[in-house]
Amino acid sequence: MAALPAAVLAVLGLLGLRLGCAAAAAPLVIWHGMGDSCCNPQSMGYIKKIVENKIPGIYVLSLKIGSNLIQDMENSFFMNVNDQVREVCSQLAQDPRLKGGYNAMGFSQGGQFLRAVAQRCPSPPMLNLISVGGQHQGSVYGFPRCPGESSHICDWIRKTLDLGAYTQAVQEHLVQAEYWHNPLKEEDYRKNSIFLADINQERGINETYKKNLMALKKFVMVKFLNDTMVDPPISEWFGFYKSGQAKETVPLKETSLYTEDRLGLQEMDKAGKLVFLGVQGDHLHFSEEWFYATILPFLQ
């Protein structure tokens, strides 16, 4: 059979592109927030379903820490975050469907936990990181609201954090203490925080952390504009209280983390890799329409 002319081959190539030879969407990894689980039909199960409906054929992995949903929920309060991150890194490395790279979306504390995955575990590669209400400079003061306001777990956590958030025993066994950032006790935080102070480079520069985070295509941060749970809400955009007081906040660009570029955020910002989104509503309250219009484009 005679070879087809180059012009015909070119036309066939164009037709192939137009008729659906586009690459499949990258897989999506989801990490839930405090007091939630991987597969709650009202939260992560719902997110998984609507993403799969809108992006046919996409592989969505909703992370489960533990052997069942009860353990998964309990571990969001009581399992050392560093151990959780190691467990997730292992899960991702062993999943053949992720080897070409994946997008990641973390809800509330899951946002900063997935950032730790990006910084510590570059294989398989994280492509885009979407943090939905993640507390990247930490949270503090009163533990304003946690799932189940009357829950004895929430009451116990509040008392424990107030009494000794930076003691070794509490740091090792209480998740929320590990991103507890008290602006009145900055030195205690820098010295004793076993998770957040590490991933935010408070005790020195880990160049590997910086390099790995900067490899992201986009780092998307969603702040809830009427948030009553995260204190201060600007932590969701990497801002925080001015040191030594708890009234005035500063945006990311005025923090030493940015001005000293300890994580590469300044360089990422200049390259257009940082995306700051605001949504009306309380913590993790958003509409399906907003999700489709604003978040879905980062997954396709």
Side-chain angles (χ1 to χ4, degrees):
M1 180 177 174
L4 290 171
V8 174
L9 289 172
V11 170
L12 290 174
L14 282 172
L15 284 173
L17 288 173
R18 289 175 181 174
L19 292 176
C21 293
L28 174 64
V29 173
I30 298 172
W31 198 335
H32 63 79
M34 171 181 65
D36 201 357
S37 69
C38 66
C39 311
N40 183 336
Q42 303 298 317
S43 57
M44 296 303 99
Y46 175 74
I47 294 293
K48 183 175 186 292
K49 179 180 177 181
I50 65 174
V51 169
E52 290 170 340
N53 286 342
K54 286 291 185 179
I55 311 177
I58 191 173
Y59 172 53
V60 182
L61 172 63
S62 189
L63 294 167
K64 179 173 68 174
I65 314 298
S67 59
N68 56 58
L69 301 190
I70 297 298
Q71 284 188 4
D72 190 22
M73 183 275 290
E74 290 176 343
N75 285 336
S76 74
F77 289 113
F78 303 120
M79 181 178 177
N80 186 302
V81 180
N82 296 306
D83 293 339
Q84 292 192 53
V85 170
R86 275 189 288 271
E87 163 64 22
V88 166
C89 289
S90 177
Q91 287 186 34
L92 302 185
Q94 294 175 39
D95 191 331
R97 290 164 290 190
L98 303 178
K99 65 181 180 180
Y102 64 95
N103 292 318
M105 182 159 49
F107 292 83
S108 196
Q109 66 185 26
Q112 60 261 35
F113 297 174
L114 278 171
R115 175 162 65 87
V117 171
Q119 292 175 209
R120 294 174 178 175
C121 307
S123 182
M126 187 183 293
L127 306 175
N128 296 303
L129 172 57
I130 303 168
S131 168
V132 185
Q135 304 96 40
H136 292 283
Q137 285 273 28
S139 187
V140 77
Y141 288 122
F143 203 50
R145 181 169 56 81
C146 79
E149 186 62 43
S150 61
S151 167
H152 67 281
I153 292 178
C154 297
D155 292 337
W156 180 84
I157 290 174
R158 287 189 185 95
K159 292 175 183 176
T160 303
L161 289 170
D162 287 339
L163 287 172
Y166 299 121
T167 62
Q168 183 176 352
V170 174
Q171 282 287 310
E172 290 285 347
H173 300 290
L174 182 56
V175 166
Q176 289 69 39
E178 295 171 48
Y179 57 87
W180 191 254
H181 186 175
N182 189 336
L184 304 181
K185 296 183 178 180
E186 288 283 1
E187 190 58 30
D188 286 344
Y189 159 70
R190 278 191 290 270
K191 287 173 57 178
N192 300 312
S193 169
I194 65 172
F195 174 69
L196 189 68
D198 176 66
I199 65 168
N200 280 4
Q201 309 270 48
E202 299 283 7
R203 295 188 286 265
I205 306 300
N206 181 326
E207 292 294 342
T208 299
Y209 281 7
K210 187 173 179 177
K211 175 186 174 183
N212 291 343
L213 190 65
M214 290 174 63
L216 290 172
K217 294 180 179 179
K218 294 287 184 183
F219 180 6
V220 181
M221 289 167 269
V222 177
K223 174 187 172 186
F224 291 89
L225 302 178
N226 311 103
D227 204 313
T228 63
M229 183 171 179
V230 175
D231 186 359
I234 200 172
S235 179
E236 296 167 16
W237 281 349
F238 253 112
F240 202 62
Y241 289 116
K242 275 189 174 180
S243 184
Q245 51 85 58
K247 291 184 179 180
E248 187 178 354
T249 60
V250 293
L252 168 61
K253 289 185 178 181
E254 294 179 24
T255 66
S256 59
L257 184 68
Y258 186 93
T259 58
E260 297 170 8
D261 211 15
R262 299 199 304 265
L263 270 178
L265 294 173
Q266 183 183 134
E267 194 166 335
M268 291 176 74
D269 189 25
K270 291 177 180 177
K273 291 187 172 186
L274 301 186
V275 180
F276 300 90
L277 301 176
V279 58
Q280 294 292 337
D282 204 347
H283 194 64
L284 299 187
H285 290 194
F286 56 86
S287 69
E288 194 171 308
E289 293 73 23
W290 175 86
F291 184 84
Y292 289 153
T294 310
I295 301 300
L296 217 61
F298 293 104
L299 306 179
Q300 295 173 310

